Amino acid sequence: MHLLNLGILAHVDAGKTSLTERLLHSVGVIDEIGSVDAGSTRTDSLALERRRGITIKSAVVSFAIDDVTVNLIDTPGHPDFIAEVERVLGVLDGAVLVVSAVEGVQAQTRVLMRTLQRLKIPTLIFVNKIDRRGARYDGVLRALRERLTPAVVPMGRAVGLGTRKAAFAPGRVPVDVLADHDDELLAAYVEGTLCEDRVRAALVARTREALVHPVFFGSAATGAGVPELIAGIKELLPRADGDPEGPVSGTVFKVERGPAGEKVAYARMFSGTLRTRDRVPFGDARTDARDEGRVTAVSVFDHGTDIRGDAVPAGRIARLWGLADVRIGDAIGEPRKAHGHFFAPPTLETVVVPGPDTDRRDLHLALGQLAEQDPLIGLRHDEVRQETSVSLYGEVQKEVIQATLAEEFGLAVGFRETTPLCIERPAGTGAAAEFIKKGANPFLATVGLRVDPAPPGTGIAFRLEVELGAMPYAFFKAVEDTVRETLGQGLNGWQVTDCAVTMTHSGYWPRQSHAHQGFDKSMSTTGADFRGLTPLVLTEALRRAGSQVYEPMHRFRIEAPADTLGALLPVLAALQAVPQTTETRGESCVLEGAVPAARVHALEQRLPGLTRGEGELESGFDHYAPVARGDVPSRPRTDHNPLNRKEYLLNVTRRVGG
């Protein structure tokens, strides 16, 4: 039995959940096709998904195509839930990208296709809704080539467009696109020795290499074109690989809570075989912070459901119990190469406001559970103001969090106005140091730090200019960990990034004890001394370096009627958007440029009225830009405020120093 882990991806409302239902019905897993509108689909299990008719959480369902077992993963299409899609991509062998025959290529379609190509994931394209009024064949195929990739291979034609009798008529595979990626095929074509078997073999090989993308047309509603798609999935996409006898290695892509509140991890195994009662290491592959746990139960996906088993071999997707501290993105067993994030981080933030009868402690716990399920939703708790902020991708995500808290936890909440999530970068170089028992240093530690700017996108680097053997390693680790934690809030309260922090001075007092007495803390350095002193030294170095606040900027692409350009430009200027290129294509125009993330929602709301409902907006995070207008935005601190030495020492040591 061969395995294939398949993802279905699309822009919202393209019909991928309906296609999932049709696939399950066609292969005999379900007897009746569920309806998105009626909330009866197999993969949209959340009450909120059923009510809103959108996919919010990824779902796994299994079925067989002859000797191939397919684990099919239905993913969200709305851009606010792009983090769900990101986690799924890392476990796929192949994908089906769904495009509507009516709406055609949309903004999210382009984002997804770029990512699939960058990761070299073999992808089939299914053009859905050929039975709908307004369905197109030539126009959609042209848009696929122009806006997604020229390497599309139509597998036939759609006939009877816009009617219930619409069908897919398979045809001969065109050679021109394949020949661009296969020199032997091109030579055989020129010499006139090309046969159909040779073309088919080239199609399979180039598809599995993610060089070309076969296109099928059909309708999830009527079933047209679905048998051909199923045959294409079996023939054209690669099988899951991995040695079941090798070292255990897997990746967690989803975490949920079971009926008793226990954590259940969804994991793809890439190597080895994981068995019940095995003890395995797990944790973030990019750090040394790893835990170990015992797998208490396992279930694997098979024939439309998950069934309990004793082991999970390489290639399989399974649900795992017993790993209490597991998080999404954790590596199980031997870590694979870290892939990093495929999509942009959230660029918005809002404060969650508890309702009149909502207990703040219950709210904090509930938000913590939501963050477990979506690690890109960052929580920021302000103990002083008793407030919790969440980071977001968009306004729809805020509505979903609100509804989830009400339905799953019985907690009523509201939100403050959404604001952009800025960052800080050092403006220059700054250094500071404090020495044991010198000046106003109340800690038994010497710490010297220098802050230097680093290229954008490099994050935070910690370096040493002192010998590693100068003091116990645990003290160096305490300094590094505290540096990274402290840089979570810069001079203006934003996370500081793209900098190098170098330790220039170190010193400690060795462990002291007196005869017939125990350990003398007053004469001995501990890790707490370094953790207490480091924020003071680091913020002083950062103050001397200075910092610049940067706001998130989205790239935008607007396609609209050319005669609406005069109305669009003043509104874009008022929203601080900067058009960089303008191109006229017949009766339409295309504007591309940059707009502050905080203004994207307003642009989305204004665009239909400005363009008679014909305007199409595509936007996504692009870069951070220095705040150029108005007051520099700041954010209240949630730490002990090392910028105020007296306040900090009162909080940390309960005594005043300096």
Side-chain angles (χ1 to χ4, degrees):
M1 177 67 78
H2 299 292
L3 291 169
L4 167 62
N5 296 299
L6 176 71
I8 293 194
L9 301 91
H11 185 100
V12 66
D13 289 336
K16 65 192 172 340
T17 299
S18 298
L19 178 60
T20 300
E21 292 290 309
R22 176 60 67 175
L23 288 172
L24 295 178
H25 181 266
S26 298
V27 298
V29 170
I30 57 177
D31 296 326
E32 185 177 348
I33 296 175
S35 165
V36 173
D37 294 334
S40 57
T41 58
R42 185 67 172 265
T43 52
D44 284 348
S45 57
L46 298 179
L48 186 59
E49 292 178 312
R50 297 180 186 276
R51 190 171 65 249
R52 291 190 62 116
I54 61 172
T55 301
I56 297 169
K57 296 293 182 184
S58 57
V60 182
V61 66
S62 179
F63 61 87
I65 306 176
D66 298 330
D67 63 341
V68 178
T69 295
V70 178
N71 289 321
L72 189 149
I73 307 176
D74 184 21
T75 61
H78 199 286
D80 281 12
F81 309 108
I82 199 67
E84 277 291 317
V85 182
E86 172 176 343
R87 292 190 284 274
V88 169
L89 290 178
V91 304
L92 297 183
D93 303 304
V96 174
L97 181 65
V98 184
V99 178
S100 168
V102 180
E103 289 83 10
V105 174
Q106 296 176 281
Q108 189 72 353
T109 320
R110 288 162 56 86
V111 173
L112 292 170
M113 190 62 179
R114 281 197 300 264
T115 307
L116 289 165
Q117 290 180 307
R118 187 164 64 247
L119 298 173
K120 300 188 183 304
I121 295 175
T123 302
L124 310 182
I125 298 174
F126 184 75
V127 180
N128 191 24
K129 302 183 181 181
I130 63 171
D131 59 317
R132 296 284 184 88
R133 181 179 298 178
R136 298 166 294 144
Y137 174 81
D138 292 328
V140 171
L141 202 56
R142 184 168 57 252
L144 293 177
R145 292 186 174 117
E146 292 176 355
R147 301 189 62 192
L148 291 187
T149 171
V152 296
V153 181
M155 302 298 290
R157 287 193 63 87
V159 296
L161 287 169
T163 70
R164 295 294 290 178
K165 294 183 179 180
F168 178 63
R172 297 187 63 178
V173 176
V175 178
D176 52 347
V177 175
L178 289 173
D180 289 340
H181 302 276
D182 192 317
D183 292 340
E184 292 182 7
L185 188 73
L186 178 60
Y189 177 72
V190 172
E191 294 167 3
T193 59
L194 199 59
C195 64
E196 190 64 30
D197 288 345
R198 178 68 183 84
V199 174
R200 202 75 190 185
L203 176 67
V204 173
R206 301 297 85 81
T207 301
R208 292 183 176 184
E209 293 170 359
L211 294 175
V212 301
H213 306 284
V215 181
F216 299 83
F217 284 75
S219 168
T222 67
V226 174
E228 290 80 5
L229 175 64
I230 291 173
I233 290 171
K234 179 187 175 184
E235 178 190 11
L236 302 173
L237 294 179
R239 307 293 177 260
D241 57 7
D243 180 7
E245 303 300 323
V248 171
S249 178
T251 298
V252 175
F253 66 92
K254 179 177 179 177
V255 173
E256 65 183 16
R257 292 276 178 174
E262 76 279 16
K263 276 190 180 180
V264 183
Y266 287 66
R268 156 78 189 266
M269 298 305 298
F270 291 95
S271 172
T273 299
L274 185 61
R275 296 177 173 83
T276 305
R277 294 182 292 280
D278 279 356
R279 288 194 67 85
V280 291
F282 62 90
D284 190 338
R286 296 167 293 183
T287 69
D288 296 329
R290 308 201 78 203
D291 295 308
E292 189 172 271
R294 185 183 300 278
V295 178
T296 58
V298 164
S299 70
V300 295
F301 293 91
D302 195 19
H303 290 87
T305 186
D306 62 311
I307 55 176
R308 288 299 176 105
D310 296 322
V312 191
R316 281 273 190 185
I317 287 177
R319 301 171 78 207
L320 309 176
W321 282 260
L323 308 180
D325 297 320
V326 72
R327 292 180 60 85
I328 291 172
D330 279 357
I332 295 177
E334 289 194 5
R336 302 173 71 237
K337 181 180 178 182
H339 57 67
H341 292 315
F342 306 140
F343 298 100
T347 56
L348 302 172
E349 184 179 56
T350 186
V351 174
V352 184
V353 180
D357 299 322
T358 297
D359 185 87
R360 291 181 181 273
R361 289 170 296 182
D362 292 341
L363 176 58
H364 188 62
L365 290 172
L367 287 171
Q369 287 196 24
L370 292 185
E372 285 177 355
Q373 299 169 20
D374 192 342
L376 290 186
I377 294 181
L379 293 183
R380 187 172 181 272
H381 189 61
D382 187 335
E383 291 286 353
V384 177
R385 297 166 186 82
Q386 288 295 295
E387 294 177 349
T388 301
S389 302
V390 295
S391 53
L392 305 165
Y393 281 96
E395 296 296 319
V396 172
Q397 191 179 13
K398 188 161 65 174
E399 297 172 24
V400 169
I401 291 174
Q402 184 179 40
T404 304
L405 289 171
E407 294 176 5
E408 296 188 15
F409 300 95
L411 302 174
V413 301
F415 297 94
R416 292 204 191 132
E417 183 182 0
T418 303
T419 57
L421 263 175
C422 300
I423 63 169
E424 293 183 49
R425 290 176 176 146
T429 296
E434 297 208 22
F435 301 88
I436 295 179
K437 291 303 181 183
K438 288 187 178 180
N441 179 10
F443 301 101
L444 297 182
T446 292
V447 174
L449 298 170
R450 185 179 69 249
V451 176
D452 295 293
T458 55
I460 299 169
F462 182 77
R463 301 165 182 165
L464 296 177
E465 279 187 1
V466 294
E467 292 186 8
L468 190 58
M471 62 182 187
Y473 172 74
F475 291 165
F476 284 114
K477 189 71 169 66
V479 173
E480 180 178 357
D481 290 347
T482 307
V483 162
R484 296 185 182 278
E485 180 182 351
T486 303
L487 289 177
Q489 301 182 75
L491 302 181
N492 293 282
W494 305 105
Q495 180 178 4
V496 181
T497 187
D498 301 332
C499 65
V501 179
T502 305
M503 191 169 186
T504 57
H505 299 79
S506 67
Y508 75 107
W509 281 359
R511 182 184 179 93
Q512 301 290 324
S513 60
H514 301 290
H516 309 297
Q517 294 180 7
F519 169 61
D520 186 354
K521 167 62 186 78
S522 66
M523 299 291 288
S524 308
T525 300
T526 67
D529 288 297
F530 285 97
R531 288 190 293 272
L533 180 59
T534 297
L536 288 173
V537 177
L538 180 58
T539 52
E540 181 59 30
L542 188 60
R543 199 194 318 255
R544 294 174 182 178
S547 72
Q548 171 77 57
V549 176
Y550 290 73
E551 65 178 333
M553 300 292 291
H554 281 219
R555 64 183 178 277
F556 73 84
R557 181 183 186 277
I558 295 175
E559 187 166 349
D563 61 357
T564 64
L565 187 60
L568 266 174
L569 291 176
V571 173
L572 290 174
L575 294 174
Q576 299 176 25
V578 181
Q580 294 164 345
T581 62
T582 304
E583 180 184 353
T584 301
R585 299 177 179 175
E587 295 182 356
S588 67
C589 65
V590 177
L591 284 79
E592 295 186 3
V595 59
R599 309 287 183 174
V600 171
H601 184 59
L603 181 55
E604 290 172 340
Q605 292 179 315
R606 298 287 301 277
L607 188 64
L610 295 168
T611 61
R612 301 190 295 274
E614 299 178 42
E616 178 185 314
L617 171 67
E618 175 185 341
S619 73
F621 172 78
D622 188 64
H623 66 284
Y624 289 95
V627 176
R629 300 186 185 182
D631 297 332
V632 175
S634 63
R635 185 166 65 163
R637 301 190 72 89
T638 60
D639 57 7
H640 294 307
N641 192 16
L643 291 172
N644 184 321
R645 186 182 185 92
K646 184 175 181 179
E647 176 186 337
Y648 177 82
L649 291 174
L650 280 170
N651 286 319
V652 175
T653 68
R654 298 302 173 189
R655 56 180 169 156
V656 179

